[in-house]
Amino acid sequence: GEGVEPDRERYIALITRACDADIAAACYNLGHEELRAVEMDRGTATPEQLSKGLAFYRRACTLGQTKACTNLY
């Protein structure tokens, strides 16, 4: 939010809990975080990041997040 320092660890912890609770948007956001290196650095994500990011996108797609489905294809 405004006026506070970003806390990435807390953000990841919160969206992980939300994804574990089957909230599709949270799973999508986790996928986006893992694949961020691909988007920002043009392909420098590690194989583990790529695998985790795609897994989160698949889960989000299964839960009905159409954006995630589009990103998979």
Side-chain angles (χ1 to χ4, degrees):
E2 283 188 41
V4 297
E5 290 294 317
D7 186 344
R8 189 172 189 283
E9 283 184 36
R10 181 163 165 73
Y11 167 70
I12 296 297
L14 290 172
I15 62 174
T16 298
R17 281 180 49 198
C19 181
D20 289 344
D22 292 336
I23 297 174
C27 298
Y28 173 82
N29 288 340
L30 282 170
H32 180 74
E33 286 296 317
E34 290 294 336
L35 296 174
R36 196 174 188 178
V38 174
E39 295 169 6
M40 293 177 65
D41 298 326
R42 305 279 187 246
T44 60
T46 66
E48 181 182 347
Q49 287 172 307
L50 188 55
S51 177
K52 284 174 70 176
L54 291 174
F56 283 124
Y57 274 176
R58 280 188 209 97
R59 182 160 183 201
C61 179
T62 299
L63 293 169
Q65 175 62 271
T66 56
K67 237 175 161 174
C69 301
T70 301
N71 287 351
L72 287 171
Y73 302 101

